[in-house]
Amino acid sequence: MRVRRLSLSVLLAVAGCAAPSIAVPPPAAPVRQPVGVVVESVLPVAARRALDQSLDRYLRDRPGRAALAVYDRTTGTRYAFRERTPFMLASVMKVDILLAFLLTKRGELSDYERDLASRMIRDSDNDCAGELYMTIGGREGFARVLRRLGVEHTEPGPSLYWGTTLSRPSDQVKVLEQLTDPKGPLPAPDRRYALKLMSSVQPSQAWGVSAAGGEVALKNGWLPADAHGGLWTINSVGRLDVRGHELLIAVLSERSPTMETGIATVERLARLAVDALTGPEETVSASKVF
């Protein structure tokens, strides 16, 4: 994949767009739950420790740093890893902009606005993202949306530099929840529209959490950041349907020497986390084929 090396100021310039399934232990005083209700929980201690160790071992010899969060909507299980220090979002911020924009418009999108949103997500067009960011009120408008949604650890970038927004993986999972939850703030047509866009990004941009397999709707971010001496920020967030589990996952990383190195790190972390929550895909030997 060939990527032109751009400075932070150029890449983020804003202008008008011309054109194992985990069982949840019962509480001390059991309460009967209606059929279909999922009780949220954190990953059990033993499973958490095993996954922590697996991720730690992998990252020990990797350059830069990385963190992730995942929510298994099927089992209600949540897990987060190394996310105290925030990361620059780069183009993953476009999912946040899309959510804020859809909340502002409430389904009343013009053809022009749909074109902007489509190009922002499918093509990762920065100019279109900038125009939609201004439509929602820029930094101040975006911050108001975050507060209303309870996204607490995301700091919008200065002025119109939306790509320098700092966030944690768990906050990006919250954004994905709001974007896709049937009981969330968006009407069904807007949820379907967002997932349609994220399910049809340019093939050259379909790396990242998709490496964990299954049906995928995603958005990635990549940037040789001036703030890190030109080292790469590589991020990937998305919704996965894997082995009967609906997962929302965010993997953020920074300071990789090359884009390819960062992508390899993000993809491996996604696979390790997804396999831990859903069970690795079984390899079928010839003797098992009938």
Side-chain angles (χ1 to χ4, degrees), residues 27-48:
V31 177
R32 185 178 299 277
Q33 296 290 340
V35 175
V37 170
V38 175
V39 180
E40 289 193 11
S41 71
V42 296
L43 198 63
V45 174
R48 169 178 287 274

Side-chain angles (χ1 to χ4, degrees), residues 23-283:
V24 179
V31 177
R32 185 178 299 277
Q33 296 290 340
V35 175
V37 170
V38 175
V39 180
E40 289 193 11
S41 71
V42 296
L43 198 63
V45 174
R48 169 178 287 274
R49 184 178 299 117
L51 182 50
D52 284 348
Q53 291 174 349
S54 178
L55 297 176
D56 275 327
R57 279 195 300 271
Y58 174 70
L59 288 175
R60 194 172 299 148
D61 298 322
R62 302 298 294 177
R65 72 183 185 97
L68 67 82
V70 59
Y71 172 43
D72 185 337
R73 187 174 269 158
T74 303
T75 65
T77 303
R78 292 183 185 272
Y79 172 78
F81 175 78
R82 285 191 183 181
E83 64 164 9
R84 286 189 177 182
T85 304
F87 293 77
M88 187 184 303
L89 287 183
S91 283
V92 159
M93 174 66 171
K94 291 165 182 170
V95 177
D96 299 50
I97 294 173
L98 178 64
L99 173 60
F101 178 67
L102 292 175
L103 285 171
T104 300
K105 300 298 294 186
R106 288 292 178 180
E108 298 178 359
L109 277 65
S110 67
D111 290 343
Y112 177 66
E113 290 169 333
R114 287 183 178 276
D115 182 58
L116 291 177
S118 175
R119 293 167 63 185
M120 176 179 72
I121 299 298
R122 288 170 163 157
D123 302 329
S124 203
D125 189 295
N126 292 325
D127 292 341
C128 294
E131 185 162 345
L132 292 179
Y133 193 58
M134 289 187 286
T135 299
I136 63 176
R139 187 179 192 276
E140 291 73 21
F142 179 64
R144 285 194 296 271
V145 173
L146 294 183
R147 289 194 296 269
R148 188 165 77 248
L149 297 177
V151 180
E152 301 172 347
H153 302 290
T154 296
E155 181 64 27
S159 185
L160 295 177
Y161 289 92
W162 47 266
T164 63
T165 295
L166 298 176
S167 186
R168 299 181 184 182
S170 285
D171 266 17
Q172 293 310 298
V173 167
K174 286 183 181 179
V175 168
L176 292 170
E177 286 183 72
Q178 299 292 336
L179 198 65
T180 62
D181 189 352
K183 297 182 180 179
L186 290 178
D190 283 356
R191 296 195 307 272
R192 289 193 296 268
Y193 176 65
L195 286 173
K196 179 180 179 181
L197 296 182
M198 294 174 65
S199 299
S200 55
V201 300
Q202 291 289 343
S204 63
Q205 300 176 17
W207 43 266
V209 298
S210 57
E215 295 182 7
V216 184
L218 57 68
K219 182 70 189 81
N220 297 324
W222 59 98
L223 175 69
D226 288 348
H228 301 148
L231 296 176
W232 284 82
T233 287
I234 302 292
N235 302 322
S236 185
V237 304
R239 174 191 176 276
L240 308 180
D241 187 352
V242 182
R243 297 184 282 278
H245 293 253
E246 181 187 0
L247 304 172
L248 304 178
I249 183 170
V251 187
L252 307 182
S253 75
E254 65 178 26
R255 301 174 191 268
S256 289
T258 67
M259 182 177 178
E260 291 74 17
T261 300
I263 290 175
T265 295
V266 165
E267 292 187 337
R268 181 59 175 163
L269 293 178
R271 286 195 297 268
L272 289 170
V274 169
D275 285 351
L277 268 70
T278 69
E281 188 170 8
E282 184 177 345
T283 301

